[in-house]
Amino acid sequence: MSFTITANSLVKDIVNELPKTSDVFKKNRIDFCCGGNIPLSDAVSQNNLNLETLLEELKAVFEKYENEEKDVDVWTNSDSNTIINHVISNYHRVSEEELKMLSPYVTKVSRVHGDNHPELLEVNELFFEFKKELMEHMTKEEEVVFPLIKQIADGTVENREEAISMIVELEKEHDHAGEILRKIRAVTSDFMLPLDACGTYRLVYARLEALEGLTFMHVHLENNILFPRYI
């Protein structure tokens, strides 16, 4: 897929096709929700922005998306250190960024539309529960368990059984995180949008579904490739 965004692309269409571009528009104070039915060139003019600079920012988001992992089979033949470093760079850091950037959108939609769509109040609670648990989980992996896995791999671990029990505990945490994501999907009826959904509402559902996919790939690399080497 090639980069096709131009000055004539509608702001709302850009966000619909690539939800994370919403961060670029928010940073540049471009209304992609109620005011998104205008060409990018008009949005640039209204906000006294540079079109080429904005297109470069949008292209950077596109290229980052294009480079996201699509095929994980290659990691089955990689050493544990390589997989761990890959998980930290491509899943931990990316998840941290997305959880931070998505949080205000989730809160806003639940606050604005929660009266008419009470399921959004539950989505808000589940999202922040998921955020807290995943952040704590990733910290534990980086500070405690990943160093132990590296020690098991090079034969320097002091207590192998204790290290393995901690890996098993991570798998249980993965199960719980997956259960929260399943609840979010159930509450949103598989991210089905109501007829009165605004642009931000659509954005939240699209990015929640993308976050689900990112998390499942993260868990797959660990549960199905890395951890089985030691348990």
Side-chain angles (χ1 to χ4, degrees):
M1 187 168 69
S2 58
F3 182 72
T4 58
I5 297 173
T6 69
N8 295 322
S9 300
L10 297 182
V11 171
K12 67 174 185 178
D13 290 342
I14 296 171
V15 175
N16 286 341
E17 288 294 321
L18 193 57
K20 282 185 73 66
T21 56
S22 59
D23 294 334
V24 174
F25 291 129
K26 182 180 179 182
K27 185 189 79 170
N28 287 284
R29 301 184 182 281
I30 294 174
D31 180 4
F32 58 85
C33 182
C34 301
N37 194 31
I38 60 172
L40 191 62
S41 57
D42 288 359
V44 166
S45 297
Q46 291 175 8
N47 292 274
N48 296 314
L49 300 170
N50 181 282
L51 177 61
E52 292 304 316
T53 300
L54 186 61
L55 283 171
E56 284 300 315
E57 291 185 51
L58 294 171
K59 187 175 182 181
V61 174
F62 169 81
E63 290 177 345
K64 186 175 181 180
Y65 168 78
E66 277 297 284
N67 290 328
E68 284 182 356
E69 194 151 47
K70 307 275 193 310
D71 182 2
V72 298
D73 289 343
V74 63
W75 298 106
T76 59
N77 297 319
S78 298
D79 64 84
S80 295
N81 280 354
T82 300
I83 294 175
I84 287 171
N85 292 335
H86 177 75
V87 166
I88 292 172
S89 297
N90 293 273
Y91 292 94
H92 287 196
R93 297 292 85 83
V94 173
S95 296
E96 287 170 354
E97 178 186 14
E98 180 60 3
L99 289 168
K100 175 183 176 182
M101 300 301 292
L102 183 54
S103 293
Y105 293 126
V106 175
T107 299
K108 178 181 178 181
V109 167
S110 67
R111 185 180 67 249
V112 174
H113 299 284
D115 288 343
N116 293 328
H117 298 283
E119 69 274 9
L120 291 173
L121 302 178
E122 189 171 354
V123 168
N124 187 63
E125 290 183 6
L126 288 168
F127 171 78
F128 282 98
E129 179 186 359
F130 175 79
K131 178 181 178 180
K132 179 177 182 295
E133 294 210 4
L134 188 61
M135 293 295 289
E136 291 175 352
H137 174 82
M138 292 187 296
T139 297
K140 182 194 292 186
E141 285 188 335
E142 291 186 33
E143 295 183 357
V144 181
V145 184
F146 283 172
L148 286 174
I149 289 176
K150 292 180 179 181
Q151 290 175 10
I152 296 174
D154 63 22
T156 61
V157 70
E158 293 182 0
N159 189 328
R160 182 182 176 89
E161 292 306 314
E162 181 180 0
I164 291 174
S165 70
M166 296 191 74
I167 297 174
V168 172
E169 188 64 30
L170 287 184
E171 288 190 325
K172 293 178 181 178
E173 292 177 7
H174 286 163
D175 290 342
H176 190 244
E179 181 59 30
I180 297 174
L181 291 173
R182 281 188 285 276
K183 287 180 180 178
I184 291 175
R185 180 171 279 278
V187 167
T188 61
S189 301
D190 291 326
F191 303 105
M192 182 179 295
L193 289 160
L195 294 176
D196 62 343
C198 67
T200 305
Y201 202 136
R202 294 174 181 276
L203 171 75
V204 165
Y205 272 29
R207 289 179 68 160
L208 282 173
E209 189 166 20
L211 179 63
E212 177 192 68
L214 178 72
T215 305
F216 286 165
M217 289 288 282
H218 174 182
V219 171
H220 170 73
L221 272 175
E222 294 181 0
N223 277 16
N224 300 326
I225 298 177
L226 180 63
F227 294 169
R229 298 177 178 184
Y230 307 104
I231 57 177

